[in-house]
Amino acid sequence: MLRDCLSGEVLLAKSLLSATIADLSALLVEVRDALPVPISGVVSDGQDSIRKAVAQTFPGVPHQQCHFHYLREAARPIYEADRHAKKELKKRVRGIRKLERQAEGNDSIEAEIVRGYCAAVRSALTDDGRPPLTAPGLKLHERLEQIAASLDRIAVPTGCFSGRLKRLRQLLRKGLEETAMLWPGVRVAYRWVKRVARLLANEQQRPAREVRRQLSKILSQIRQAARRSVEPEVSRQLRHFVKVTKSYWPGLFGCYTSADLPRTNNDLEQLFGSHRYHERRASGRKVASPGLVVLGSVRVIAGLATRLRPEEGLVLGEGYVQTWRQLRAGLEKRRRARRQQRRFRRDPVTYLRKLEELALQLSLLS
């Protein structure tokens, strides 16, 4: 899907069987030749074929690569380490449900306190964040530390501690102590990620040259930190961050030279998410329809046109019938391919036997 960043207008949408440079260049050329105005900038994720297609079709046009996708790709090993640490901590904090059951049906103050602390622990365990800037494991560790510290504070003045609260406190302390070695490296690595993210946010409106210089300085510091790190895993994560940054480098600073060029293409991601949300609400499905892959170039356009220009109603241009027939023929071709795939999945033996019979008929005719 190609979309105008300023108005939100969808310029072209097609379902492609592959995303090669030639396929993407053809779409870009079609939009470029149809637009009555020049294209002053492009924003996309960092897919290699997209980069080369844009460079080939729009030489000299600034190509901004999405900061969100860049940080997510660069911080992937760091996020995986954080997720692993979170999984290990959650494994060691199991047992909350047993304490909750013991407090059920009891109206005493002590039971209410137990239920309150168990609800806090369960809330921390089920609060998942999303990369690249959210570290769900670190957040879980911090919140469990706060809950354990609160239990420590009420244990000191009261002198006596109820059995359930004592078991909850022991459970949390045991989990935190057994996973203590997993967090320092994750914390150090995420500190660098957030530092780069703050720089790219550019709240002080620095010029592109200054942002580039500051980021280069931070990368030098990350390389030094990777060399000095005594943990091989942390060193590997930081080196990966530097490597991905170098690959994204030419496309990170275009947004600072043009106020109309966004830092990310998250608006396009939200557009797809909005369409899937409305489709689930309308159909009652838990997930988006698989047909969206085949018919998305029609469904998404129709849904967006209704929301973007509700006052216009249905406006059909001249000669739309021929265009509609061509589009329908293309969609029907994709439908046939999908039907063949489903038939093979349902009954591979029958599917292959029919192909063999066709091949034998062809050999007899020849």
Side-chain angles (χ1 to χ4, degrees), residues 152-283:
D152 292 340
R153 287 193 295 271
I154 65 173
V156 174
T158 57
C160 58
F161 214 34
S162 72
R164 286 189 290 265
L165 289 176
K166 187 175 181 179
R167 286 195 294 273
L168 177 60
R169 180 190 178 195
Q170 291 173 346
L171 186 68
L172 295 179
R173 283 300 176 195
K174 180 182 178 182
L176 293 170
E177 291 171 2
E178 291 181 354
T179 60
M181 298 298 295
L182 300 176
W183 302 107
V186 175
R187 190 172 288 108
V188 168
Y190 256 108
R191 199 173 293 135
W192 289 112
V193 175
K194 292 186 178 181
R195 185 175 173 184
V196 172
R198 285 195 299 269
L199 174 65
L200 294 179
N202 199 21
E203 295 179 355
Q204 299 179 3
Q205 301 296 317
R206 298 187 182 96
R209 181 181 301 177
E210 177 66 17
V211 176
R212 188 183 292 107
R213 188 180 67 83
Q214 291 291 336
L215 183 56
S216 179
K217 182 179 178 181
I218 293 176
L219 289 182
S220 298
Q221 296 172 353
I222 293 177
R223 291 190 190 96
Q224 295 174 7
R227 287 194 296 268
R228 292 195 303 264
S229 177
V230 295
E231 298 184 32
E233 185 61 24
V234 174
S235 180
R236 184 188 68 82
Q237 294 166 6
L238 296 180
R239 286 197 303 269
H240 176 85
F241 191 92
V242 173
K243 178 182 177 181
V244 173
T245 304
K246 289 175 64 178
S247 69
Y248 273 82
W249 187 269
L252 291 178
F253 310 102
C255 60
Y256 307 121
T257 59
S258 173
D260 294 330
L261 196 60
R263 289 198 309 117
T264 71
N265 64 348
N266 287 349
D267 286 346
L268 182 60
E269 304 284 349
Q270 292 168 1
L271 181 149
F272 284 115
S274 174
H275 179 84
R276 289 193 295 267
Y277 168 79
H278 286 289
E279 187 176 87
R280 291 196 302 268
R281 289 290 301 273
S283 64

Side-chain angles (χ1 to χ4, degrees), residues 218-357:
I218 293 176
L219 289 182
S220 298
Q221 296 172 353
I222 293 177
R223 291 190 190 96
Q224 295 174 7
R227 287 194 296 268
R228 292 195 303 264
S229 177
V230 295
E231 298 184 32
E233 185 61 24
V234 174
S235 180
R236 184 188 68 82
Q237 294 166 6
L238 296 180
R239 286 197 303 269
H240 176 85
F241 191 92
V242 173
K243 178 182 177 181
V244 173
T245 304
K246 289 175 64 178
S247 69
Y248 273 82
W249 187 269
L252 291 178
F253 310 102
C255 60
Y256 307 121
T257 59
S258 173
D260 294 330
L261 196 60
R263 289 198 309 117
T264 71
N265 64 348
N266 287 349
D267 286 346
L268 182 60
E269 304 284 349
Q270 292 168 1
L271 181 149
F272 284 115
S274 174
H275 179 84
R276 289 193 295 267
Y277 168 79
H278 286 289
E279 187 176 87
R280 291 196 302 268
R281 289 290 301 273
S283 64
R285 293 174 176 266
K286 292 184 178 180
V287 296
S289 168
L292 185 60
V293 177
V294 178
L295 303 176
S297 57
V298 175
R299 291 183 181 179
V300 176
I301 295 288
L304 287 177
T306 305
R307 298 202 295 273
L308 289 176
R309 297 192 300 274
E311 70 283 352
E312 292 186 9
L314 181 62
V315 179
L316 300 175
E318 296 181 1
Y320 74 90
V321 174
Q322 184 63 27
T323 304
W324 172 77
R325 286 174 177 169
Q326 293 175 356
L327 177 61
R328 189 174 181 84
L331 294 177
E332 183 59 31
K333 183 178 179 181
R334 295 291 303 276
R335 278 203 192 99
R336 286 198 298 269
R338 299 279 288 191
R339 282 198 295 268
Q340 286 183 311
Q341 295 172 18
R342 286 197 299 271
R343 287 169 183 167
F344 174 75
R345 286 195 294 265
R346 289 173 182 170
D347 193 350
V349 175
T350 303
Y351 181 89
L352 295 175
R353 186 185 300 123
K354 289 182 179 179
L355 290 180
E356 293 167 7
E357 292 173 356

Side-chain angles (χ1 to χ4, degrees), residues 116-154:
Y117 275 110
C118 288
V121 174
R122 189 168 294 280
S123 174
L125 293 174
T126 56
D127 185 12
D128 292 327
R130 300 187 63 186
L133 298 181
T134 302
L138 288 176
K139 182 184 291 186
L140 172 63
H141 181 265
E142 178 184 354
R143 288 177 173 173
L144 293 186
E145 284 276 13
Q146 293 174 345
I147 296 171
S150 176
L151 289 170
D152 292 340
R153 287 193 295 271
I154 65 173

